[in-house]
Amino acid sequence: MAGNEPAGTTRVDEGELGAVPAEIVARVDALAELIRYHNDRYHRQDAPEIPDIDYDLLVRELQDLEAAYPQLVSPDSPTQKVGGPVSATFAPVTHALPMMSLDNAFDREELEAWAARVAKGLDLADSAAPVGYTCELKIDGVACSLRYEDGVLVQAATRGNGKVGEDITANVAGIEVIPAKLVGSPPAVVEVRGEIYLPIATFDALNEAQEAAGLARYANPRNTAAGSLRQKDPAVTASRGLAFWSYQLGVVEGSPALGSHAEALDWLAEMGLPVNPERRTADTIDEVVAFTDQWLEHRHDLDYDIDGAVIKVNTLGRQRALGATAKAPRWAIAVKFPPEERTTKLLEIQVSIGRTGKATPFAVLEPVFVGGSTVQMATLHNDDQVRLKDVHPGDTVIVRKAGDVIPEVLGPVLSDRPKRMKRWSFPTACPSCGEPLVRPESEAHTFCVNATCPAQQQTRIEYFASRGAMDIEGMGESRVALFIEKGFIANVADLYTIPWDEVAGLEGFGQTSIDNLRSAIEASKQRPLANLLVGLGVRHLGPAGAGLLATHFGHIDAIAAATAEEMAAVDGVGPTIAQSVADYFATDGAADLVERFKAAGVNLVGPERSEEPQVLAGMSIVVSGTLEVYSRDGAADAIKSRGGKNPGSVSKKTTALVVGAEPGASKLAKAEELGVPILDEAGFEALLATGELA
Ligand code: IVH
């Protein structure tokens, strides 16, 4: 370094561009190396270590630095290259036209900036003439190029590094939806680019099989698709149920005259290639955003993963005029959805004590915005899961939150693990009462077995008062804690003998709030018996089982007196639930609670037994979409009152799927895949009347 330069500054280039601070040079090198490492994990090993968003941010940072210091751009920078290294397993294929990557837009502003560049590039900037776009889904799978000569599939290749890919023809031949022969009048040569993916229903089934065989679950459909595709044995690939969506033309010789990308896609579909139906054209960015917003909301209705939308300039002439950079076409942009997986720090692992005494470990996370909300806690289920996931406090971990599903810690980013980190071990004493925690043999869970443990009392009472049980408004976490602390309540029956004159002396309890709370407790005495049963927090007993027992036995005394066998004989009540309920009512504590409920005037009587003929006994009917005559609850009641079950999702056990307007696409796809009969509303009415599938 030259003698009189300020510290931390180096001259990599003595020309006009001037000095580049040493830390920038170091950061550019470090970023390039990190990106190469993650490219290799993703493209060659099919085992990415970090979520896409973290990768995209690394690339962004490098691009920004290279834009600010162009003298640092080297020809082998990852920003100048597509994809990853080519593996040795498959023969190399040189693409006739390179398979390019796409630039990303992460928000509307970036999308508009792209649209402005396009308009400028086409000299349309100041005119009112619309550019004209196509909007497609961005399928999260593995890019593939198919070459048809005279209508016959002759070669299939991965993207590889964009110029040279891998020959996967033998493996692609086993993908059912990819035609070996095109129909209609195929041209002399057509190369079709698209995405190979694994349908979610197939992925779930594959994982069920893995679990049944005692093998590890696959992480996600994309990696599983990539791994399935790059099998040495094509029979293994064929067995995996991969699928394909076409989205782009490569080299074409002898095609009909095509003016636009939309026409090209229609043409591919006419020749029998699978083209995703969820595509449209748009004239304005508002229309484009309507498309991306719609799919952001409905992404989980699809039977495949998408991670955004791809917007392309529709006119092929305009595409040619715009051309491409080294890496990506200027006429297309990927609009990326906000991530459902992100990395964050695992600060510590704590244990919470549930109402049954179950000790559940959970991750305390550095707050992270993922899947539409800020996540700072995630369950780790039990000791075995902590071990399986191999997470240590202090780790960088991947957190996933998809749709309405509760957040999940997927695993650590091992390359980020600090040295000499301590493994976490399950505490031996209850964090609430200090009594020893017990893990029964052959149980996955650990328990606090102290019946008077304050944490258990607290959660039991909160649960009893919660909406799905006795629905006592105003009896939330802090009031329950306060009343326990004051000694007013120690169990759920105590709620009906609260010493109100003493409550009146407490800070924050004016006459109005006391009156409201008292009347909420009073109102809870009239709740259906099933709600009371749910509120007792008997292990394994949920609302469905509670409803069946309440209806069948008609009174809490009859349930308490029933044997496990008698309860298991009720259709829909399994032996596990029956045994658990019988065990519960055999305790002195339960008998005492029932006596005190009686004294308080709590409803202990079940509903009248249904008068409907039980034509749906043993059947399981799923409803999806909006029906005309029945509301969602009305349809559920109609099914249950006839002895049927009405679960929320389609499985092998489903008797029929009833569909109204706008049914969920994934339910439909699953029903079709499993061969479950699909009924419209008329078919549903017939089923209710006769118990027969029309
Ligand atoms: S067009 C030259 N359309 O996303 C443009 N790509 O992140 C070629 N992808 O490499 C790509 N869905 O593997 C296009 N509807 C779609 C797509 C799509 C998914 C993939 C493709 C591409 C990657 C870029």
Side-chain angles (χ1 to χ4, degrees):
M1 209 202 275
N4 56 356
E5 302 231 278
T9 302
T10 183
R11 282 186 184 276
V12 289
D13 185 324
E14 295 286 330
E16 278 168 50
L17 291 162
V20 180
E23 61 268 24
I24 300 283
V25 178
R27 183 67 187 150
V28 165
D29 286 347
L31 282 168
E33 194 181 317
L34 256 178
I35 293 167
R36 277 190 209 106
Y37 169 78
H38 290 301
N39 273 345
D40 190 67
R41 299 271 324 200
Y42 185 94
H43 291 287
R44 200 176 58 78
Q45 304 182 38
D46 299 328
E49 202 188 45
I50 54 171
D52 288 357
I53 182 72
D54 292 55
Y55 175 84
D56 290 341
L57 291 175
L58 291 174
V59 173
R60 257 306 154 89
E61 190 186 343
L62 182 57
Q63 281 170 340
D64 289 349
L65 287 175
E66 288 179 344
Y69 303 97
Q71 62 271 56
L72 295 185
V73 184
S74 78
D76 65 340
S77 163
T79 60
Q80 307 299 306
K81 294 189 169 171
V82 169
V86 180
S87 88
T89 318
F90 299 93
V93 174
T94 304
H95 298 299
L97 263 184
M99 287 181 78
M100 304 200 101
S101 174
L102 291 172
D103 286 333
N104 293 327
F106 289 99
D107 54 32
R108 180 169 181 139
E109 208 182 320
E110 292 182 357
L111 175 66
E112 280 178 347
W114 169 76
R117 287 198 299 278
V118 166
K120 192 155 172 257
L122 294 172
D123 264 339
L124 296 175
D126 300 320
S127 83
V131 170
Y133 312 101
T134 55
C135 309
E136 294 163 41
L137 300 179
K138 187 171 183 316
I139 316 296
D140 196 7
V142 185
C144 176
S145 181
L146 308 175
R147 185 178 172 92
Y148 288 88
E149 289 177 5
D150 297 322
V152 177
L153 177 65
V154 293
Q155 191 167 59
T158 64
R159 184 168 73 175
N161 64 16
K163 294 195 177 77
V164 181
E166 299 153 313
D167 188 334
I168 51 166
T169 315
N171 288 4
V172 162
I175 299 178
E176 231 176 86
V177 299
I178 295 185
K181 264 190 168 169
L182 298 178
V183 296
S185 28
V189 176
V190 57
E191 263 182 27
V192 184
R193 269 91 197 256
E195 204 84 350
I196 292 179
Y197 67 93
L198 190 63
I200 292 171
T202 316
F203 171 75
D204 289 343
L206 195 63
N207 260 344
E208 270 172 38
Q210 285 288 109
E211 235 168 50
L215 298 169
R217 291 173 64 88
Y218 292 104
N220 62 47
R222 197 223 80 101
N223 294 347
T224 315
S228 303
L229 191 60
R230 295 171 66 239
Q231 294 285 324
K232 277 199 182 124
D233 179 0
V236 177
T237 306
S239 73
R240 292 286 170 84
L242 294 169
F244 181 76
W245 291 126
S246 323
Y247 48 62
Q248 192 65 38
L249 282 180
V251 165
V252 189
E253 287 168 26
S255 73
L258 296 168
S260 69
H261 179 62
E263 283 170 28
L265 292 181
D266 291 343
W267 178 57
L268 293 178
E270 280 161 25
M271 291 192 293
L273 283 154
V275 181
N276 193 293
E278 310 302 349
R279 61 185 194 269
R280 59 163 290 183
T281 54
D283 277 338
T284 63
I285 290 299
D286 277 342
E287 286 169 43
V288 169
V289 170
F291 178 86
T292 56
D293 280 354
Q294 183 206 338
W295 285 110
L296 177 58
E297 193 185 329
H298 290 286
R299 62 192 292 187
H300 294 292
D301 294 346
L302 297 165
D303 189 35
Y304 42 87
D305 278 343
I306 59 172
D307 57 349
V310 179
I311 314 304
K312 298 169 186 169
V313 171
N314 191 19
T315 318
L316 297 182
R318 289 186 167 172
Q319 289 190 0
R320 277 191 289 276
L322 287 161
T325 64
K327 210 179 155 179
R330 291 197 188 86
W331 44 262
I333 189 95
V335 177
K336 288 288 206 87
F337 287 159
E340 295 189 319
E341 283 180 19
R342 293 205 51 191
T343 49
T344 189
K345 269 253 158 350
L346 172 60
L347 300 175
E348 54 177 327
I349 298 176
Q350 291 185 0
V351 167
S352 73
I353 304 295
R355 58 176 199 278
T356 58
K358 193 198 278 177
T360 305
F362 63 96
V364 181
L365 304 163
E366 211 163 80
V368 59
F369 192 78
V370 57
S373 59
T374 301
V375 172
Q376 43 193 337
M377 271 187 277
T379 178
L380 291 167
H381 304 288
N382 57 45
D383 198 13
D384 294 346
Q385 285 292 315
V386 177
R387 246 180 279 246
L388 260 178
K389 294 198 162 156
D390 182 33
V391 284
H392 300 185
D395 266 340
T396 299
V397 292
I398 301 171
V399 177
R400 177 175 172 81
K401 178 164 187 300
D404 306 329
V405 182
I406 58 164
E408 190 187 357
V409 173
L410 295 183
V413 177
L414 286 176
S415 61
D416 261 6
R417 174 168 284 175
K419 291 206 176 71
R420 284 198 300 279
M421 255 203 347
K422 267 181 69 190
R423 236 173 214 295
W424 179 81
S425 50
F426 212 94
T428 51
C430 169
S432 172
C433 68
E435 294 289 312
L437 292 176
V438 181
R439 179 169 174 181
E441 229 173 282
S442 78
E443 267 268 13
H445 296 288
T446 307
F447 294 87
C448 168
V449 291
N450 170 15
T452 61
C453 168
Q456 287 183 54
Q457 286 176 334
Q458 166 90 26
T459 39
R460 266 189 228 137
I461 298 170
E462 270 176 43
Y463 185 74
F464 184 83
S466 69
R467 197 161 294 161
M470 298 298 265
D471 195 11
I472 305 176
E473 205 182 315
M475 203 65 198
E477 187 178 339
S478 55
R479 280 182 173 168
V480 172
L482 178 68
F483 287 7
I484 290 178
E485 184 201 318
K486 295 288 171 196
F488 300 161
I489 55 176
N491 65 37
V492 295
D494 293 339
L495 287 171
Y496 299 104
T497 55
I498 291 173
W500 291 107
D501 45 341
E502 289 184 47
V503 176
L506 296 179
E507 201 184 315
F509 280 90
Q511 198 51 49
T512 318
S513 59
I514 292 185
D515 289 348
N516 288 345
L517 191 55
R518 283 189 82 157
S519 51
I521 292 176
E522 208 44 43
S524 76
K525 293 179 180 173
Q526 303 311 319
R527 300 277 177 257
L529 174 57
N531 291 52
L532 177 72
L533 293 173
V534 167
L536 293 175
V538 181
R539 212 174 162 212
H540 303 300
L541 183 67
L548 291 168
L549 291 177
T551 310
H552 183 89
F553 289 98
H555 195 282
I556 201 164
D557 285 344
I559 299 173
T563 63
E565 290 71 32
E566 284 164 341
M567 284 188 269
V570 178
D571 195 22
V573 178
T576 315
I577 297 177
Q579 191 58 55
S580 178
V581 176
D583 290 348
Y584 175 83
F585 280 107
T587 60
D588 290 345
D592 181 52
L593 284 185
V594 172
E595 285 316 307
R596 295 189 56 207
F597 287 143
K598 279 183 190 163
V602 175
N603 170 50
L604 302 173
V605 181
E608 293 287 308
R609 285 227 216 164
S610 169
E611 295 304 312
E612 299 288 352
Q614 301 293 291
V615 290
L616 303 185
M619 295 191 195
S620 170
I621 320 287
V622 178
V623 181
S624 182
T626 313
L627 299 176
E628 274 177 24
V629 174
Y630 291 93
S631 66
R632 193 48 81 82
D633 287 347
D637 286 346
I639 294 166
K640 289 181 193 160
S641 65
R642 288 165 178 78
K645 279 194 227 148
N646 175 230
S649 60
V650 174
S651 74
K652 283 181 291 209
K653 294 182 194 146
T654 307
T655 314
L657 171 68
V658 176
V659 295
E662 292 181 45
S666 66
K667 285 196 185 114
L668 260 180
K670 189 129 192 186
E672 274 164 13
E673 187 189 307
L674 297 171
V676 169
I678 297 171
L679 301 180
D680 60 9
E681 191 156 354
F684 180 49
E685 301 260 18
L687 178 68
L688 291 176
T690 63
E692 312 227 326
L693 294 166

mmCIF file of all heavy atoms in Angstrom, residues 598-617:
data_model
loop_
_atom_site.group_PDB
_atom_site.id
_atom_site.type_symbol
_atom_site.label_atom_id
_atom_site.label_comp_id
_atom_site.label_asym_id
_atom_site.label_seq_id
_atom_site.Cartn_x
_atom_site.Cartn_y
_atom_site.Cartn_z
ATOM 1 N N LYS A 598 -72.150 -29.040 39.595
ATOM 2 C CA LYS A 598 -73.584 -29.243 39.890
ATOM 3 C C LYS A 598 -74.058 -28.180 40.866
ATOM 4 O O LYS A 598 -75.090 -27.536 40.664
ATOM 5 C CB LYS A 598 -73.810 -30.622 40.510
ATOM 6 C CG LYS A 598 -73.863 -31.726 39.487
ATOM 7 C CD LYS A 598 -74.163 -33.058 40.146
ATOM 8 C CE LYS A 598 -73.962 -34.170 39.117
ATOM 9 N NZ LYS A 598 -73.829 -35.479 39.737
ATOM 10 N N ALA A 599 -73.275 -27.983 41.934
ATOM 11 C CA ALA A 599 -73.657 -27.015 42.960
ATOM 12 C C ALA A 599 -73.758 -25.609 42.368
ATOM 13 O O ALA A 599 -74.605 -24.817 42.765
ATOM 14 C CB ALA A 599 -72.629 -27.041 44.092
ATOM 15 N N ALA A 600 -72.894 -25.320 41.365
ATOM 16 C CA ALA A 600 -72.880 -23.970 40.786
ATOM 17 C C ALA A 600 -73.969 -23.794 39.729
ATOM 18 O O ALA A 600 -74.237 -22.683 39.289
ATOM 19 C CB ALA A 600 -71.512 -23.699 40.163
ATOM 20 N N GLY A 601 -74.608 -24.874 39.311
ATOM 21 C CA GLY A 601 -75.655 -24.779 38.282
ATOM 22 C C GLY A 601 -75.117 -24.744 36.869
ATOM 23 O O GLY A 601 -75.749 -24.197 35.960
ATOM 24 N N VAL A 602 -73.949 -25.341 36.652
ATOM 25 C CA VAL A 602 -73.389 -25.406 35.300
ATOM 26 C C VAL A 602 -74.133 -26.481 34.502
ATOM 27 O O VAL A 602 -74.459 -27.540 35.057
ATOM 28 C CB VAL A 602 -71.875 -25.750 35.365
ATOM 29 C CG1 VAL A 602 -71.289 -25.944 33.968
ATOM 30 C CG2 VAL A 602 -71.118 -24.671 36.118
ATOM 31 N N ASN A 603 -74.421 -26.213 33.243
ATOM 32 C CA ASN A 603 -75.127 -27.195 32.405
ATOM 33 C C ASN A 603 -74.307 -28.469 32.229
ATOM 34 O O ASN A 603 -73.166 -28.421 31.763
ATOM 35 C CB ASN A 603 -75.421 -26.592 31.027
ATOM 36 C CG ASN A 603 -75.933 -27.665 30.074
ATOM 37 O OD1 ASN A 603 -76.854 -28.417 30.427
ATOM 38 N ND2 ASN A 603 -75.326 -27.764 28.910
ATOM 39 N N LEU A 604 -74.896 -29.604 32.567
ATOM 40 C CA LEU A 604 -74.189 -30.881 32.450
ATOM 41 C C LEU A 604 -74.947 -31.848 31.542
ATOM 42 O O LEU A 604 -74.637 -33.037 31.471
ATOM 43 C CB LEU A 604 -74.008 -31.507 33.834
ATOM 44 C CG LEU A 604 -73.250 -30.628 34.842
ATOM 45 C CD1 LEU A 604 -73.271 -31.240 36.238
ATOM 46 C CD2 LEU A 604 -71.807 -30.412 34.397
ATOM 47 N N VAL A 605 -75.962 -31.294 30.838
ATOM 48 C CA VAL A 605 -76.827 -32.130 30.010
ATOM 49 C C VAL A 605 -76.437 -31.987 28.540
ATOM 50 O O VAL A 605 -76.198 -30.876 28.064
ATOM 51 C CB VAL A 605 -78.311 -31.711 30.193
ATOM 52 C CG1 VAL A 605 -79.228 -32.593 29.363
ATOM 53 C CG2 VAL A 605 -78.686 -31.754 31.659
ATOM 54 N N GLY A 606 -76.401 -33.098 27.812
ATOM 55 C CA GLY A 606 -76.029 -33.086 26.392
ATOM 56 C C GLY A 606 -77.205 -32.698 25.517
ATOM 57 O O GLY A 606 -78.332 -32.583 26.006
ATOM 58 N N PRO A 607 -76.978 -32.507 24.224
ATOM 59 C CA PRO A 607 -78.061 -32.140 23.307
ATOM 60 C C PRO A 607 -78.980 -33.330 23.068
ATOM 61 O O PRO A 607 -78.599 -34.475 23.307
ATOM 62 C CB PRO A 607 -77.315 -31.762 22.027
ATOM 63 C CG PRO A 607 -76.031 -32.514 22.096
ATOM 64 C CD PRO A 607 -75.693 -32.672 23.544
ATOM 65 N N GLU A 608 -80.198 -33.004 22.617
ATOM 66 C CA GLU A 608 -81.113 -34.068 22.212
ATOM 67 C C GLU A 608 -80.421 -34.891 21.133
ATOM 68 O O GLU A 608 -79.724 -34.343 20.276
ATOM 69 C CB GLU A 608 -82.365 -33.436 21.579
ATOM 70 C CG GLU A 608 -83.208 -32.648 22.560
ATOM 71 C CD GLU A 608 -83.974 -33.546 23.514
ATOM 72 O OE1 GLU A 608 -84.657 -34.457 23.018
ATOM 73 O OE2 GLU A 608 -83.849 -33.364 24.746
ATOM 74 N N ARG A 609 -80.638 -36.163 21.133
ATOM 75 C CA ARG A 609 -80.047 -36.967 20.056
ATOM 76 C C ARG A 609 -80.698 -36.610 18.728
ATOM 77 O O ARG A 609 -81.879 -36.313 18.671
ATOM 78 C CB ARG A 609 -80.276 -38.447 20.354
ATOM 79 C CG ARG A 609 -79.345 -38.889 21.445
ATOM 80 C CD ARG A 609 -78.688 -40.169 21.058
ATOM 81 N NE ARG A 609 -78.539 -40.965 22.277
ATOM 82 C CZ ARG A 609 -78.280 -42.242 22.265
ATOM 83 N NH1 ARG A 609 -78.191 -42.884 21.122
ATOM 84 N NH2 ARG A 609 -78.132 -42.896 23.381
ATOM 85 N N SER A 610 -79.923 -36.661 17.676
ATOM 86 C CA SER A 610 -80.415 -36.248 16.370
ATOM 87 C C SER A 610 -81.547 -37.165 15.908
ATOM 88 O O SER A 610 -81.504 -38.369 16.093
ATOM 89 C CB SER A 610 -79.278 -36.303 15.373
ATOM 90 O OG SER A 610 -79.795 -36.158 14.087
ATOM 91 N N GLU A 611 -82.565 -36.533 15.276
ATOM 92 C CA GLU A 611 -83.683 -37.308 14.749
ATOM 93 C C GLU A 611 -83.405 -37.774 13.316
ATOM 94 O O GLU A 611 -84.152 -38.549 12.749
ATOM 95 C CB GLU A 611 -84.964 -36.461 14.766
ATOM 96 C CG GLU A 611 -85.443 -36.077 16.173
ATOM 97 C CD GLU A 611 -85.661 -37.292 17.071
ATOM 98 O OE1 GLU A 611 -86.316 -38.245 16.608
ATOM 99 O OE2 GLU A 611 -85.153 -37.292 18.205
ATOM 100 N N GLU A 612 -82.348 -37.211 12.726
ATOM 101 C CA GLU A 612 -82.069 -37.550 11.321
ATOM 102 C C GLU A 612 -81.661 -39.021 11.208
ATOM 103 O O GLU A 612 -80.951 -39.542 12.063
ATOM 104 C CB GLU A 612 -80.895 -36.710 10.794
ATOM 105 C CG GLU A 612 -81.115 -35.219 10.812
ATOM 106 C CD GLU A 612 -82.098 -34.755 9.760
ATOM 107 O OE1 GLU A 612 -82.493 -35.588 8.920
ATOM 108 O OE2 GLU A 612 -82.474 -33.576 9.797
ATOM 109 N N PRO A 613 -82.061 -39.682 10.100
ATOM 110 C CA PRO A 613 -81.554 -41.036 9.888
ATOM 111 C C PRO A 613 -80.036 -40.986 9.682
ATOM 112 O O PRO A 613 -79.538 -40.084 8.994
ATOM 113 C CB PRO A 613 -82.266 -41.496 8.609
ATOM 114 C CG PRO A 613 -82.791 -40.248 7.969
ATOM 115 C CD PRO A 613 -82.950 -39.219 9.049
ATOM 116 N N GLN A 614 -79.330 -41.934 10.282
ATOM 117 C CA GLN A 614 -77.858 -41.873 10.279
ATOM 118 C C GLN A 614 -77.278 -42.465 8.983
ATOM 119 O O GLN A 614 -76.473 -43.397 9.007
ATOM 120 C CB GLN A 614 -77.330 -42.600 11.517
ATOM 121 C CG GLN A 614 -77.835 -41.994 12.820
ATOM 122 C CD GLN A 614 -77.289 -40.584 13.049
ATOM 123 O OE1 GLN A 614 -76.100 -40.410 13.283
ATOM 124 N NE2 GLN A 614 -78.161 -39.582 12.971
ATOM 125 N N VAL A 615 -77.684 -41.854 7.858
ATOM 126 C CA VAL A 615 -77.295 -42.424 6.555
ATOM 127 C C VAL A 615 -75.818 -42.213 6.212
ATOM 128 O O VAL A 615 -75.289 -42.832 5.309
ATOM 129 C CB VAL A 615 -78.157 -41.856 5.396
ATOM 130 C CG1 VAL A 615 -79.576 -42.373 5.476
ATOM 131 C CG2 VAL A 615 -78.122 -40.325 5.404
ATOM 132 N N LEU A 616 -75.158 -41.286 6.925
ATOM 133 C CA LEU A 616 -73.756 -41.016 6.593
ATOM 134 C C LEU A 616 -72.790 -41.659 7.591
ATOM 135 O O LEU A 616 -71.596 -41.342 7.587
ATOM 136 C CB LEU A 616 -73.496 -39.508 6.523
ATOM 137 C CG LEU A 616 -74.358 -38.707 5.547
ATOM 138 C CD1 LEU A 616 -73.891 -37.257 5.498
ATOM 139 C CD2 LEU A 616 -74.297 -39.301 4.149
ATOM 140 N N ALA A 617 -73.329 -42.552 8.438
ATOM 141 C CA ALA A 617 -72.464 -43.173 9.442
ATOM 142 C C ALA A 617 -71.246 -43.797 8.766
ATOM 143 O O ALA A 617 -71.374 -44.489 7.758
ATOM 144 C CB ALA A 617 -73.249 -44.231 10.207
#
